[in-house]
Amino acid sequence: MSYKAMSHRDVLHFINGEYTPGTSGLTFENICPVDGQVIGRVHEGKRDEVDAAVQAARAALKGPWGRMSMAERGEILHRVADGITARFDEFLEAECLDTGKPRSLASHIDIPRGAANFKIFADLVKNVPEESFHLATPDGAGAQNYGIRVPKGVIGVISPWNLPLLLMTWKVGPALACGNTVVVKPSEETPLTTALLGEVMNDAGVPKGVYNVVHGFGPDSAGAYLTEHPGVDAITFTGETRTGTAIMKAAAVGVRDVSFELGGKNPAIVFADCDLDKAIEGTMRSVFANCGQVCLGTERVFVERPIFDEFVARLRQGAEGLKLGRPEDETVNMGPLISKEHQKKVLGYYDLARELGATVVTGGGVPDMPEDLRGGAWVEPTIWTGLGDDSPIMKEEIFGPCCHISPFDSEEEVIERANDTVYGLASAVWTENMSRGHRVAAQIECGICWVNSWFLRDLRTAFGGSKQSGIGREGGVHSLEFYTELRNICVKL
Ligand code: NAD
């Protein structure tokens, strides 16, 4: 499918193996954030569409999917991954149309990692041992206990717009590998790759009803109806902490399990003994990659005083060297924000920082883009200094290409300041003193702390957030904790 054909296509729900407009009769515009052009219409699902998808998913649990061995399911999931790879260019175009992110980024991260999620979890579930305990009994014969893992059932998957295919498959991959069926509600901003995946599922031989997609918004739309639906056994969600709170309330009815990957206000700590080239290169990525719309991204940078001025000057130089433009331009390394609405939010923080007396080291506004891009959701890469730790700029997640840089004087001080947040998702520590690296990393309250790196992910490791950044861990065997029930069988001998 060409870029153009994709862009003008209606985006339909995918229910029970078939594309359908549903019955609500409602659609909404899909807008490309690069230039503000309408690229298609998306069908909005309400209660009926969600109900049809959940029923299809429930039926599929009892169908061939439920009777397949783990190995058979694994083979099919490998074919899903291969199917994404075979249609790499279509997925790439779809993702770039929806998000505006540079192709160089999406071709390196979003699409290949999105495909890999199916293979990795299909292989992983086969290698997890089950527990067994022998129990002595008064009659001397004993009893043997052993655990088996069974699928949890129908999983509701609610995903965000910043890494659409990657974060959705990060949930759908393990859910299916464990034998569940899913109903996915992708972000209203980025429906295309989730929709396209339906075709790949069919081609790979995934039985009908195993993978379902309903498009729409959150409240009073597909998202809320999915989380409220009593036929959904568990909900996995990535998005804002506030949305997580609403979903948790819905999940409480029927006491359904949740797995949440939520917002962050992540610190980077740069010690004077770091390798400054590496620290600048890593911080450039952690602040500006994906136009700052990465949950793991850095918004608070703490730099030890002796190198503060040099660090600020070099990060500024890097930020001013970023090239903004169309996804297909290979020289571009920063795209727009996801939407005009998000642009308004980020620019609100840019104004607030100025009003609060921040020193604007660079950026702080809307860049002067060529005529054909003026309708896009562009913002300048921005760096501030001079604000206190209590400022809203230091407390609230902005989710844009911006950071505040503060000086610090001691290890104890910076650990306390880095932890002074309601969030606890990720952090980065830059030092060539490895004793310090280990020591500091262990004291940062977060789910993942990188030392001398950022976004270096081993999918076998636990991923998630502490404090208000999430509930539970996914990744590796930890995904099994959420996507399966551990059933104990006790046999009296
Ligand atoms: P969001 O919370 O606005 O939306 C996420 C999804 O939830 C969308 O599909 C949306 O339609 C749906 N939704 C909204 N309200 C709902 C409701 N009441 N009931 C059910 N569904 C509802 O988040 P976003 O703006 O798409 O994504 C950005 C946020 O996601 C940031 O806060 C970012 O930090 C976070 N995020 C976290 C991680 C992580 O791993 N911790 C990863 C990526 C993004």
Side-chain angles (χ1 to χ4, degrees):
M1 194 182 315
S2 74
Y3 196 74
K4 243 193 170 136
M6 168 74 83
S7 64
H8 290 100
R9 150 174 137 144
D10 263 16
V11 184
L12 305 178
H13 312 296
F14 183 75
I15 299 175
N16 207 23
E18 283 171 22
Y19 286 97
T20 164
T23 53
S24 77
L26 299 169
T27 60
F28 57 95
E29 288 178 340
N30 188 16
I31 294 171
C32 178
V34 173
D35 51 15
Q37 296 288 316
V38 177
I39 51 174
R41 299 203 69 83
V42 188
H43 288 258
E44 184 187 354
K46 294 277 193 180
R47 259 186 224 286
D48 287 351
E49 289 79 0
V50 168
D51 192 46
V54 173
Q55 283 190 30
R58 290 222 76 78
L61 283 173
K62 298 204 166 70
W65 190 246
R67 292 191 295 270
M68 267 179 213
S69 69
M70 204 182 260
E72 286 169 316
R73 281 198 302 261
E75 270 175 38
I76 293 182
L77 295 180
H78 270 255
R79 290 207 292 273
V80 171
D82 292 341
I84 296 173
T85 307
R87 298 177 68 175
F88 192 91
D89 291 346
E90 284 173 70
F91 276 93
L92 184 60
E93 279 175 7
E95 205 73 310
C96 293
L97 265 173
D98 269 351
T99 62
K101 66 178 74 187
R103 277 185 190 214
S104 53
L105 181 72
S107 61
H108 182 62
I109 298 206
D110 299 64
I111 312 305
R113 292 204 195 177
N117 281 335
F118 288 101
K119 287 193 179 173
I120 282 167
F121 286 105
D123 295 345
L124 199 136
V125 294
K126 289 190 286 198
N127 293 308
V128 181
E130 284 156 356
E131 66 180 24
S132 170
F133 291 98
H134 183 80
L135 179 72
T137 55
D139 66 4
Q144 192 67 34
N145 290 280
Y146 61 93
I148 58 167
R149 287 195 178 271
V150 295
K152 216 162 222 175
V154 175
I155 309 288
V157 178
I158 309 227
S159 48
W161 44 256
N162 59 331
L163 298 153
L165 182 73
L166 171 59
L167 293 178
M168 183 266 294
T169 56
W170 167 250
K171 295 172 177 304
V172 172
L176 299 190
C178 292
N180 302 283
T181 59
V182 297
V183 179
V184 184
K185 209 297 282 172
S187 168
E188 53 274 30
E189 306 287 356
T190 52
L192 288 179
T193 46
T194 309
L196 190 52
L197 186 60
E199 285 181 17
V200 172
M201 292 278 178
N202 279 349
D203 292 345
V206 174
K208 285 178 186 304
V210 170
Y211 173 80
N212 305 276
V213 181
V214 182
H215 300 284
F217 303 90
D220 193 30
S221 189
Y225 296 135
L226 180 59
T227 57
E228 288 164 11
H229 200 293
V232 172
D233 297 296
I235 299 159
T236 176
F237 166 72
T238 299
E240 284 186 29
T241 298
R242 205 182 39 216
T243 312
T245 307
I247 292 178
M248 202 162 173
K249 284 185 187 154
V253 180
V255 200
R256 276 109 25 94
D257 201 0
V258 293
S259 173
F260 284 170
E261 294 172 355
L262 307 175
K265 188 72 184 173
N266 309 306
I269 302 175
V270 186
F271 286 97
D273 60 13
C274 73
D275 177 326
L276 195 54
D277 290 343
K278 280 194 220 154
I280 291 289
E281 188 273 333
T283 310
M284 277 298 296
R285 285 192 298 118
S286 74
V287 175
F288 301 115
N290 208 34
C291 198
Q293 305 164 116
V294 181
C295 54
L296 307 164
T298 304
E299 291 194 0
R300 296 180 297 146
V301 186
F302 298 96
V303 181
E304 204 167 5
R305 203 173 298 272
I307 60 163
F308 181 78
D309 291 340
E310 189 183 355
F311 185 94
V312 172
R314 287 189 58 181
L315 202 72
R316 170 193 184 158
Q317 195 184 20
E320 291 177 353
L322 288 169
K323 184 167 173 207
L324 281 59
R326 287 193 176 275
E328 55 273 26
D329 181 341
E330 280 172 13
T331 62
V332 158
N333 35 32
M334 200 171 112
L337 292 170
I338 190 66
S339 64
K340 283 290 205 185
E341 193 188 330
H342 191 49
Q343 182 197 37
K344 202 167 139 205
K345 176 185 159 187
V346 172
L347 289 176
Y349 280 105
Y350 283 15
D351 291 344
L352 181 64
R354 207 173 283 112
E355 281 160 28
L356 293 170
T359 300
V360 183
V361 176
T362 187
V366 177
D368 189 18
M369 300 301 288
E371 185 66 39
D372 60 326
L373 298 181
R374 295 235 168 103
W378 301 95
V379 291
E380 286 179 322
T382 295
I383 299 171
W384 304 288
T385 57
L387 293 176
D389 291 357
D390 284 338
S391 151
I393 299 294
M394 293 289 276
K395 293 281 177 209
E396 296 167 19
E397 184 186 48
I398 301 172
F399 222 54
C402 54
C403 68
H404 181 277
I405 315 181
S406 327
F408 73 88
D409 294 299
S410 78
E411 194 178 301
E412 296 69 33
E413 171 207 333
V414 77
I415 291 168
E416 198 172 320
R417 291 173 68 190
N419 287 336
D420 183 18
T421 166
V422 296
Y423 294 109
L425 189 55
S427 57
V429 176
W430 298 91
T431 175
E432 291 296 298
N433 175 342
M434 270 307 121
S435 295
R436 167 181 271 161
H438 290 288
R439 187 169 64 230
V440 173
Q443 293 177 78
I444 306 297
E445 296 159 0
C446 65
I448 182 163
C449 180
W450 281 284
V451 179
N452 294 332
S453 164
W454 179 75
F455 214 148
L456 182 59
R457 290 277 298 120
D458 181 332
L459 301 185
R460 295 168 299 182
T461 61
F463 181 84
S466 43
K467 303 201 263 187
Q468 291 184 26
S469 288
I471 294 183
R473 293 291 181 271
E474 295 196 28
V477 292
H478 309 284
S479 292
L480 266 68
E481 294 300 326
F482 179 71
Y483 292 107
T484 62
E485 292 283 358
L486 189 56
R487 181 175 296 159
N488 188 66
I489 297 176
C490 178
V491 182
K492 174 72 176 67
L493 302 173

